[in-house]
Amino acid sequence: MQTIAKMEQVQAKAFSLRSYLETLESLYPEEIVRVSKTVRPAEYEVTAILKHLEDRSRFPVVFFENPLNLKGKPSPVPLVSNLYATRERCALALGTDPADCQLGLSLEYARRVEEPVPPVAIQRSEAPVKEVVKTGDEVDLAEYPIVRHHEMDPAPYVNMTPVMKDPDGGFYNSAFLRNMYKGPRKLGIHMSPRHNWQIHRKYEERGRPTPTAIIVSHHPAFYLGCLNVAPFGLDDYAVIGGIMGQPLRLTPSETLGEEFLVPADADFIIEGFVVPKAREVEAPFGEFTGYYGPQRLRPVIEVTAVTHRKDAIFQHTFVGHRDNWVMGGLPKEGAVYNVIRGVIPTVKSVHFALSGSCRFNCYISIDKKVEGEPKQAALAALGAVDFIKNVIVVDSDINVYNEQEVMFAVATRVQADRDIEFIKNVKGNTLDPSQLDDITTTKMLVDATRPVNRAFPERVRVPQEVLDRLRLEDYIPAKKLEKLPVFSDSVRSV
Amino acid sequence: MARIFWVTCPKCNKRFYCHSEELLHKKIDLLCPYCGIYFPQEQSPKIQE
């Protein structure tokens, strides 16, 4: 009850990054660590600390109080990392119960996507993100703690969400895109052929620069909202408002005024234009797949302004790791579940597993009634989300959040020649290293369910009534139990 | 992912990779991600397709 009351208190206020961190720190202080020692984000020290934690299976939010900037001097703003590395913290961001962070959270997200909340505009003078405004030559991105993530990255990268505005429809679109530091007022930008790419292409075909604002820091619900899979043409600011459960407050940008609005409660925003027809080498960059995307020719952004709160916090995601994976899968699961439910009402759960960077591998459980339902479910999932490459459909006795169980079903219920289908030449993902070209891939459908049209063996089990009757502590002392080693491969959760 | 080619930096001798269709045999200087120099790919001691 105390948790819910506190969450309601927070939700009554405008969402901001600090409101989230205050809630997290008061309710779950064990979820956040503060590092007061100086770190050099541009020299991999931030990601080295995150990797050390990962190697110990620890995924806290890490607040770096004293990062250096790109000039090797103390940054005027601290840095926060790893906000999205657990589903529990994503649930907290959406104001839902962290204990219900599997399918319940995914379905709540999907429900909110269907109920967009129009944004509201406020004056610049009321907008916290305008407390510090730098334009033109006053801007120097090297003053900030931009993170260089992996060894082959050529530079530090801002890897949060550029927002663009469609020149025809007037709607805004946001997406996580990588932005390479190229100079005090210059960034490179990589866009896959998705929504922001479409918008940029329209401006470029007309010979016009594409206005953009990179929202570097905001409440995590804002960023989870950015990851919606709503159709192109819906205003992301309204969808994000739906996800947040309150209207997103907007304010005029420094660059284009009321023609281009930006989130008023952000901590830090970079404004600029994507230059038409300009291409420069960019990357390699360690991507969500866990591989580097190759160096290629990509557009550049001329930065026109930086605005931030006086006590701003700089944010990044640990791309190619759990922080970046969890946030990518969760917003898709509910949408896929709802599409499948339209054709297979007995669908039980949908999960994008960590093993596929929470994008490529989709596990679906159904309570199968007739043959053919598993492949129907798989086809529905593939139609709903283009990121999905491999679909495994299992029976409802298999927990799709436990990859070991999913692979048990594959091992014991699949005959490859009968139960696996391939669909060739389907749109894939430019960053999938197994693809031989930029666009197309082969999708795989695996039916790992038991047959219903013939007798099939039963799984072993110890009688439930005996399990219920027998308390382990009555046979092995509690202290001894606590000291027994736990083997991670026996409880690997995905 | 598109086809890539590995290239060796003429200054630091470290290897990285690039997008073949966009950069292989093109008159575009490549950027070594390790030492930060731009160089024409003809100067690379080794290119592996």
Side-chain angles (χ1 to χ4, degrees), chain A residues 163-165 170-174 234-237 259-261:
Chain A
V163 171
M164 294 181 184
K165 185 180 181 183
F171 56 86
Y172 292 87
N173 191 79
S174 60
L234 280 184
D235 184 43
D236 266 0
Y237 281 159
E259 278 182 44
F260 194 104
L261 301 175

Side-chain angles (χ1 to χ4, degrees), chain A residues 220-255:
Chain A
F222 172 89
Y223 293 108
L224 290 170
C226 291
L227 289 157
N228 72 79
V229 286
F232 184 64
L234 280 184
D235 184 43
D236 266 0
Y237 281 159
V239 178
I240 290 165
I243 299 297
M244 292 169 70
Q246 62 175 230
L248 183 66
R249 300 202 313 164
L250 303 175
T251 197
S253 62
E254 293 308 300
T255 309

Side-chain angles (χ1 to χ4, degrees), chain A residues 41-44 47-48 51 54 147-157 159 284-288 290-292 317-321 324, chain B residues 33-34:
Chain A
E43 294 173 31
Y44 314 107
T47 50
K51 183 67 170 68
E54 177 182 298
V147 177
R148 197 171 182 182
H149 296 80
H150 295 104
E151 192 173 12
M152 205 191 283
D153 296 354
Y157 272 72
N159 66 355
F285 181 70
E287 272 289 355
F288 74 86
Y291 293 85
Y292 296 99
T317 62
F318 192 17
V319 60
H321 299 261
N324 165 245
Chain B
Y34 297 102

Side-chain angles (χ1 to χ4, degrees), chain A residues 148 292 295-297 432 435, chain B residues 1-2 17 19 22 31 33:
Chain A
R148 197 171 182 182
Y292 296 99
Q295 186 164 111
R296 50 189 311 179
L297 290 174
D432 176 358
Q435 285 183 201
Chain B
M1 194 184 289
Y17 54 84
H19 191 282
E22 292 181 0
L31 167 62

Side-chain angles (χ1 to χ4, degrees), chain B residues 5-22:
Chain B
F5 64 99
W6 282 88
V7 60
T8 302
C9 172
K11 184 183 173 196
C12 71
N13 222 32
K14 289 187 175 171
R15 297 169 74 233
F16 62 99
Y17 54 84
C18 303
H19 191 282
S20 295
E21 191 181 329
E22 292 181 0

Side-chain angles (χ1 to χ4, degrees), chain A residues 170-234:
Chain A
F171 56 86
Y172 292 87
N173 191 79
S174 60
F176 276 86
L177 300 173
R178 67 191 198 213
N179 297 109
M180 174 181 166
Y181 175 83
K182 283 177 169 269
R185 288 177 294 284
K186 186 176 178 183
L187 295 164
I189 180 168
H190 170 82
M191 288 175 272
S192 292
R194 298 176 67 81
H195 297 176
N196 270 6
W197 177 85
Q198 296 269 20
I199 292 173
H200 169 61
R201 204 180 54 155
K202 288 185 185 183
Y203 280 100
E204 197 164 56
E205 283 172 357
R206 297 165 199 187
R208 291 167 55 193
T210 307
T212 188
I214 303 169
I215 317 306
V216 177
S217 299
H218 204 306
H219 190 283
F222 172 89
Y223 293 108
L224 290 170
C226 291
L227 289 157
N228 72 79
V229 286
F232 184 64
L234 280 184

Side-chain angles (χ1 to χ4, degrees), chain A residues 336 339-340 343-344 364 372-385 388 391 393 421-423 443-446:
Chain A
V336 170
V339 170
I340 296 171
V343 286
I344 311 290
I364 300 164
E373 282 185 330
K375 284 174 189 167
Q376 184 69 56
L379 288 167
L382 290 172
V385 172
I388 302 173
V391 189
V393 184
E421 305 287 347
F422 303 105
I423 308 175
K443 309 280 185 176
M444 180 171 70
L445 294 66
V446 181

Side-chain angles (χ1 to χ4, degrees), chain A residues 9 141 239 260 390 455:
Chain A
Q9 256 178 12
L141 296 177
V239 178
F260 194 104
N390 306 311

